[in-house]
Amino acid sequence: DNLHNFFKTSIADHKKITLLHLLTHSSGLPAHRPYYQKLVNFPQAERENRLKDWILAENLLFQPGTENLYSDLGFILLGIIIEKVSGQSLAEYWQQIIQAPLNLEKGLFFASKRNMTDMACAPTGTCGWSKIRLFGVVNDDNCRAMGGVAGHAGLFGTSQAVLSLCENIILQFKGDQQAPPYSSKNLRKVLSNKQGPWVFGFDTPSVGLSSSGKYFSDMTVGHLGFTGTSFWIDLQREIAIVFLTNRV
């Protein structure tokens, strides 16, 4: 599927962008834009559509599929596509499809949809436009302006819950465990299909410079968060490591 099927884009280059391009950061969309500076002037109910339109109006930095560049914008669009296809909010979809089947409801969640008074969260800075110190509030300005839930940011979790998710991925990859709505066969296909530095939403270790160090195998996937968080999963050796800090 391409973006035109979901959003009826009129820009010729944008019609070439597929879901694969978004998942592997090869769409040509910029890495980041400070949309929140304009977004906060609109009612909350209008913000997602405004943001979608602004992203779809961006000039591409390269032709889709020709290069790789991490893009928040691409993952924001993926979140909106999930909502469009499923008919649910992203938070509802996450809860029903991932959280509940994997028993992660207590430790991995969108903070904006949960009472955070009982959680001890490390601060990640001060909001540049509201001046609020950020405890248990998403650090990303665009996500915060969207209400705290987006395809590129907004999830909170304990180290144990993130590790449980990583362990589940290993078990599913091996075929020892199933989790709806996808099969172990499809998961292995996805995690074995490297497109540049990324594997369908997951990062892979950079040669000589990776935060994973130098001991992980070639069959390793992971994810880094802007606020000083990361996990790495060695699918060959069946090892997962989670590292959570608030060093933005």
Side-chain angles (χ1 to χ4, degrees):
D1 284 312
N2 60 33
L3 285 194
H4 183 68
N5 292 338
F6 296 105
F7 301 125
K8 308 305 179 187
T9 55
S10 58
I11 301 175
D13 287 344
H14 288 192
K15 292 180 181 179
K16 302 174 185 175
I17 298 175
T18 66
L19 294 181
L20 184 147
H21 292 139
L22 296 178
L23 284 163
T24 57
H25 299 288
S26 58
S27 67
L29 287 167
H32 174 76
R33 289 285 189 263
Y35 294 125
Y36 68 92
Q37 296 172 349
K38 298 185 293 182
L39 212 55
V40 295
N41 297 316
F42 294 93
Q44 189 69 55
E46 296 181 17
R47 293 182 184 181
E48 184 173 285
N49 274 330
R50 294 276 182 178
L51 187 58
K52 177 201 70 178
D53 291 342
W54 294 338
I55 294 174
L56 294 176
E58 289 281 353
N59 292 323
L60 299 186
L61 301 181
F62 51 84
Q63 284 295 304
T66 61
E67 299 180 41
N68 295 93
L69 175 70
Y70 176 86
S71 176
D72 279 350
L73 279 57
F75 268 63
I76 292 171
L77 287 181
L78 283 171
I80 296 172
I81 288 169
I82 288 173
E83 293 180 331
K84 188 176 180 66
V85 173
S86 69
Q88 298 176 286
S89 72
L90 188 59
E92 291 170 339
Y93 186 84
W94 161 261
Q95 192 277 327
Q96 292 181 22
I97 302 301
I98 305 296
Q99 270 188 311
L102 298 183
N103 295 315
L104 295 173
E105 293 176 287
K106 292 183 179 179
L108 199 57
F109 46 82
F110 283 106
S112 64
K113 301 299 179 182
R114 180 188 175 110
N115 182 356
M116 297 291 284
T117 56
D118 61 340
M119 294 293 295
C121 292
T124 56
T126 302
C127 174
W129 38 280
S130 70
K131 305 306 178 185
I132 297 172
R133 197 166 189 219
L134 303 174
F135 287 91
V137 179
V138 62
N139 185 277
D140 183 89
D141 293 300
N142 287 332
C143 182
R144 202 158 62 255
M146 291 173 70
V149 179
H152 71 304
L155 277 177
F156 281 70
T158 64
S159 56
Q160 183 57 55
V162 178
L163 185 61
S164 293
L165 175 62
C166 296
E167 290 171 338
N168 269 286
I169 290 172
I170 291 173
L171 291 172
Q172 293 164 38
F173 186 82
K174 291 170 58 184
D176 293 344
Q177 184 168 303
Q178 295 289 337
Y182 53 86
S183 66
S184 291
K185 179 181 178 181
N186 280 338
L187 182 69
R188 284 193 295 273
K189 181 179 179 181
V190 164
L191 295 184
S192 301
N193 190 353
K194 189 173 181 180
Q195 304 281 334
W198 281 278
V199 179
F200 288 86
F202 289 92
D203 203 352
T204 61
S206 304
V207 178
L209 298 172
S210 176
S211 72
S212 68
K214 59 184 179 181
Y215 297 109
F216 281 81
S217 76
D218 292 338
M219 281 296 296
T220 295
V221 297
H223 184 64
L224 285 74
F226 178 78
T227 52
T229 62
S230 63
F231 67 74
W232 289 101
I233 306 170
D234 190 327
L235 297 165
Q236 177 177 305
R237 298 168 64 198
E238 300 176 17
I239 295 172
I241 294 178
V242 174
F243 187 58
L244 304 183
T245 79
N246 65 333
R247 183 165 182 168
V248 177

